[in-house]
Amino acid sequence: MSGELSPIDKAKYVAAKTAADLVEDGMRVGLGTGSTAAWLVRCLGEMVREDGLKIRGVPTSTRTAELAREVGIEVISLDEARWLDLTIDGADEFDAELNLIKGGGGALLQEKIVATASDQMAVIADAAKEVSALGHFPLPVEVVPFGWQTTQTLIEELLISMDVMGRKSSLRMTGQRPFITDEGNYIIDLHLGRIGDPRQMALVLNQMPGVVENGLFIDICDKVIIGYGDGRCEMRDINEGTVSETRLDFVEDDNLFSDI
């Protein structure tokens, strides 16, 4: 496997494999969305099939649900689970305080609902996702389709009074049509460059009529697990104030992800 993976994919795999070890028998686990989270789902599926791990997963998107079922994880709804022991997800950016930007895959609403319904949230990421200040990655804002252009205009007017570098916004598209979330909404991406006060930004955006949710995850993440292409993995726990490092040795004939 290691000979076929790029350094960035190795980093994602290392982070996912390390995060999978946080999952214990009997847990109700939130399963994130995105390329790094997909590695986690496959790692957990292997543990279910080969080690007899018994967990119930609550996916944050339809595509994660499909993958989880495919690899043998029991899938339930959040209403069935009611509360989760742990959510593991990726991030588009994270800062030193483990605040996040998420939503590059378009599942930010379900991701935030699931993460806040969990005892703990762990983020898996490669080192490139760490930033000194959030905002280089476009901030997704999920909006209802009705009057979305008016909502976009109001958001741009709001940004004039905010501590940001840029104020451009764009409707996320799929080909010639607007991208549609699992909840039937649109996403407006904000190209801000830098967000001076992410907490204020998150609060103000969510007060605007037409806005459903934004991609700033503030005070939600408990751990970040950072993978590196050489097999190293660093885990930071913001609650314990600890940093630990491990190393994963790649197995050449490992075909766990041969279909990716």
Side-chain angles (χ1 to χ4, degrees):
M1 177 191 68
S2 61
E4 301 174 357
L5 294 181
S6 67
I8 191 70
D9 282 334
K10 288 180 182 179
K12 292 179 179 181
Y13 170 68
V14 167
K17 189 72 171 176
T18 302
D21 291 336
L22 299 174
V23 179
E24 301 176 0
D25 210 49
M27 275 189 169
R28 294 159 295 181
V29 183
L31 304 174
T33 295
S35 59
T36 311
W39 295 87
L40 169 79
V41 173
R42 291 184 179 276
C43 286
L44 291 176
E46 182 189 38
M47 294 166 67
V48 168
R49 296 189 308 272
E50 299 187 7
D51 303 329
L53 178 70
K54 291 182 173 57
I55 61 171
R56 290 181 291 172
V58 175
T60 55
S61 67
T62 54
R63 57 188 181 276
T64 296
E66 291 169 358
L67 178 59
R69 292 189 181 98
E70 177 185 321
V71 300
I73 297 173
E74 180 186 354
V75 171
I76 60 173
S77 69
L78 182 58
D79 287 334
E80 290 175 292
R82 298 184 66 83
W83 195 258
L84 304 177
D85 300 289
L86 173 67
T87 287
I88 305 176
D89 205 345
D92 298 303
E93 286 185 346
F94 68 90
D95 66 14
E97 297 178 352
L98 304 195
N99 294 317
L100 320 170
I101 285 183
K102 290 180 51 55
L108 64 103
L109 177 57
Q110 291 189 21
E111 287 173 336
K112 189 175 283 190
I113 292 171
V114 169
T116 54
S118 305
D119 286 338
Q120 285 205 334
M121 181 193 190
V123 159
I124 47 179
D126 58 87
K129 301 297 174 59
E130 183 173 10
V131 295
S132 58
L134 298 177
H136 180 72
F137 190 90
L139 174 62
V141 180
E142 186 160 342
V143 302
V144 296
F146 176 80
W148 72 265
Q149 290 174 307
T150 299
T151 303
Q152 181 180 22
T153 299
L154 291 172
I155 291 173
E156 290 178 345
E157 290 178 355
L158 166 70
L159 294 177
I160 296 173
S161 63
M162 304 299 291
D163 181 10
V164 294
M165 289 182 62
R167 299 187 181 92
K168 293 183 179 179
S169 68
S170 59
L171 179 68
R172 188 176 300 185
M173 304 292 288
T174 301
Q176 299 299 313
R177 298 184 176 184
F179 174 88
I180 305 295
T181 70
D182 279 355
E183 302 301 319
N185 298 314
Y186 291 171
I187 288 181
I188 296 174
D189 289 309
L190 308 185
H191 307 274
L192 306 176
R194 179 189 60 82
I195 303 172
D197 190 339
R199 187 183 306 276
Q200 181 191 33
M201 175 72 72
L203 290 172
V204 172
L205 281 172
N206 279 9
Q207 291 176 352
M208 183 171 294
V211 171
V212 179
E213 189 53 81
N214 70 83
L216 286 165
F217 284 51
I218 309 298
D219 297 334
I220 295 176
C221 178
D222 299 283
K223 295 182 176 71
V224 64
I225 301 166
I226 308 165
Y228 296 86
D230 61 0
R232 288 181 299 121
C233 190
E234 180 183 308
M235 183 184 299
R236 303 178 193 171
D237 188 317
I238 196 165
N239 299 316
E240 300 293 334
T242 57
V243 179
S244 59
E245 187 170 302
T246 57
R247 180 179 292 273
L248 178 66
D249 293 324
F250 290 97
V251 179
E252 293 296 334
D253 62 353
D254 187 349
N255 62 359
L256 177 60
F257 304 107
S258 60
D259 58 340
I260 293 182

